[in-house]
Amino acid sequence: MDFDTRLFREHWHLACHRNELPLAGDYLRLSTPLGELVVFNDGGELVAFDNLCPHRGARIYTGAAGNQPPTCRYHGWSFHGGRVTVPDTGAFAGCDLSTARLNTLLLEWCGDFLFVAIAPRQGLYQQLGETAGLLENIGFNIAGRLDLNAYDFGCYWAVAVENALEPYHIGMVHPDTLGALDLQAGENLYHGRNSVWRAPLGNTRVDKQLQSLKRQFAIDFAYDGYMSIYLYPFTMISSTYGYSYSLQHFLPAANGAETTHFSSRLLGAHAASPRATQLLAPLFASTAEINRKVFDEDHQVCRLVPKSSWSPAPLAFAAATEEKIVHFRQSCRDWLAEGGEDTSPAPAPPAAAAPARPRS
Ligand code: FES
Ligand SMILES: [Fe+2]
């Protein structure tokens, strides 16, 4: 099994926030190196599975997100509470339909964030380290999803992750978008293989404008500046002032391909009142628009870096602003070293597990 597939199989991955899928039938679909991953709301419980019908393997969900009951459009099998409903069961004499199940993944909550895994090497909280407390605080302040932006980057996933880990390129690549915040050097924090960058805004005019918006929000946790959290290996969360959070995935494509399944979801914090919700709508709309532009700018530059330019070896020339890349590559080397030789012939299907009941 290749490096990317093993990273995917053997880690917990942040799939979604509880408030992204509040209604029965709400779903979200991600592409992974092992096929697709869908999380759906099964009458109040979130279930993660491989998006394949156990009958003849049709894909059940085809959109990126939405609301649709888990019913297969091929022959009408449907799924609820871990059970399968098959139309015309009489046609299946001699088959034990009670063994038909969705191929589910393991689930674990960190506050209101749902993580999924296939065969993790560690428990979720062990993998997250002190980042877990940060995620819990953020999660409790999120009201729901405001935007979803998903497409494939034409580069290897580690190239896209390293780009997201360093602010060195901001002036060159994002002069009119992220660059306008004039982010200061700030500080890097390391929690195991995860890392956090917190940077004050150098643009005092924008900083004051953002400060003045605080009363429109009902939030009890925020960093007054720009914060970006990296969850090893494929996830980033970034925010300015905690008013909204961009949850990004840079998932590898199958077979080590030079393609990254990129997605960014904009999650909004709780507004202080219905009136504040109205007032904040233009701010959230412009945040979504700017984020889309920033990721497009990132994509254009990531495409310049062929996969052959990347390896987990130390950087020959590392700027101070590339310190988190140094840490990322060390993490990759450590992970490879502690994993030993892998002799599995091929990726195994995801482990079956009972869906976790969301915390009420
Ligand atoms: S493939 Fe899904 S019901 Fe037949
Ligand atoms: Fe960037």
Side-chain angles (χ1 to χ4, degrees):
M1 203 187 311
D2 64 70
F3 176 58
D4 303 348
T5 307
R6 288 177 63 198
L7 281 174
F8 183 73
R9 273 182 56 82
E10 297 173 16
H11 283 91
W12 289 95
H13 306 285
L14 199 171
C16 63
H17 187 275
R18 186 193 303 281
N19 292 341
E20 287 188 86
L21 307 173
L23 306 174
D26 283 350
Y27 74 92
L28 179 74
R29 184 173 61 89
L30 293 168
S31 296
T32 84
L34 283 176
E36 296 186 352
L37 160 64
V38 160
V39 183
F40 73 97
N41 184 322
D42 183 22
E45 291 190 2
L46 296 189
V47 176
F49 79 115
D50 64 2
N51 199 27
L52 297 176
C53 175
H55 176 221
R56 285 202 358 242
R59 293 160 70 233
I60 292 176
Y61 291 100
T62 50
N67 185 281
Q68 179 189 313
T71 300
C72 182
R73 278 175 279 170
Y74 204 166
H75 311 94
W77 287 28
S78 62
F79 309 90
H80 178 63
R83 303 187 73 85
V84 181
T85 303
V86 178
D88 190 16
T89 49
F92 287 89
C95 300
D96 184 3
L97 289 174
S98 70
T99 62
R101 292 258 184 285
L102 295 180
N103 201 11
T104 54
L105 278 75
L106 301 172
L107 303 180
E108 194 79 62
W109 292 92
C110 175
D112 280 339
F113 285 116
L114 181 71
F115 284 75
V116 301
I118 296 173
R121 284 189 193 174
Q122 297 179 304
L124 174 61
Y125 275 73
Q126 199 184 356
Q127 182 187 309
L128 293 175
E130 287 177 47
T131 316
L134 190 56
L135 291 178
E136 286 174 348
N137 282 324
I138 290 170
F140 296 140
N141 285 283
I142 286 175
R145 185 171 63 234
L146 304 165
D147 191 34
L148 188 159
N149 178 26
Y151 56 100
D152 283 351
F153 276 16
C155 68
Y156 186 52
W157 71 271
V159 169
V161 163
E162 290 195 348
N163 175 70
L165 283 171
E166 54 92 348
Y168 185 31
H169 71 277
I170 290 177
M172 188 86 182
V173 176
H174 309 297
D176 305 320
T177 49
L178 199 51
L181 299 180
D182 187 19
L183 299 177
Q184 304 299 287
E187 60 173 348
N188 290 321
L189 308 167
Y190 299 100
H191 304 306
R193 288 170 190 161
N194 314 293
S195 55
V196 181
W197 180 48
R198 294 195 301 202
L201 272 57
N203 185 330
T204 48
R205 186 180 55 84
V206 173
D207 199 55
K208 276 202 187 112
Q209 280 174 351
L210 288 169
Q211 278 281 2
S212 72
L213 284 170
K214 198 166 269 188
R215 63 179 183 277
Q216 306 296 342
F217 287 91
I219 54 181
D220 63 9
F221 175 85
Y223 171 69
D224 287 353
Y226 180 85
M227 178 167 65
S228 123
I229 302 166
Y230 170 54
L231 304 177
Y232 189 84
F234 306 129
T235 307
M236 301 276 313
I237 302 173
S238 57
S239 178
T240 308
Y241 271 83
Y243 298 157
S244 60
Y245 291 84
S246 162
L247 167 60
Q248 303 138 46
H249 288 95
F250 301 94
L251 284 157
N255 305 316
E258 204 155 344
T259 298
T260 300
H261 299 306
F262 163 76
S263 64
S264 166
R265 280 124 69 190
L266 187 67
L267 308 178
H270 291 286
S273 64
R275 167 108 182 100
T277 302
Q278 280 184 340
L279 280 170
L280 292 170
L283 170 79
F284 286 145
S286 85
T287 305
E289 192 183 332
I290 290 170
N291 282 3
R292 281 172 177 258
K293 190 152 187 278
V294 168
F295 293 123
D296 188 50
E297 290 165 349
D298 282 323
H299 179 212
Q300 296 311 323
V301 78
C302 286
R303 281 164 41 161
L304 301 176
V305 184
K307 184 183 176 186
S308 55
S309 293
W310 188 84
S311 88
L315 284 176
F317 312 101
T321 40
E322 294 173 303
E323 192 186 284
K324 290 207 302 178
I325 294 182
V326 173
H327 176 257
F328 166 70
R329 291 196 178 196
Q330 182 68 54
S331 298
C332 290
R333 294 196 299 278
D334 291 348
W335 189 83
L336 282 165
E338 79 190 25
E341 269 308 297
D342 188 273
T343 53
S344 313
R357 181 173 290 279
R359 202 194 49 156
S360 55

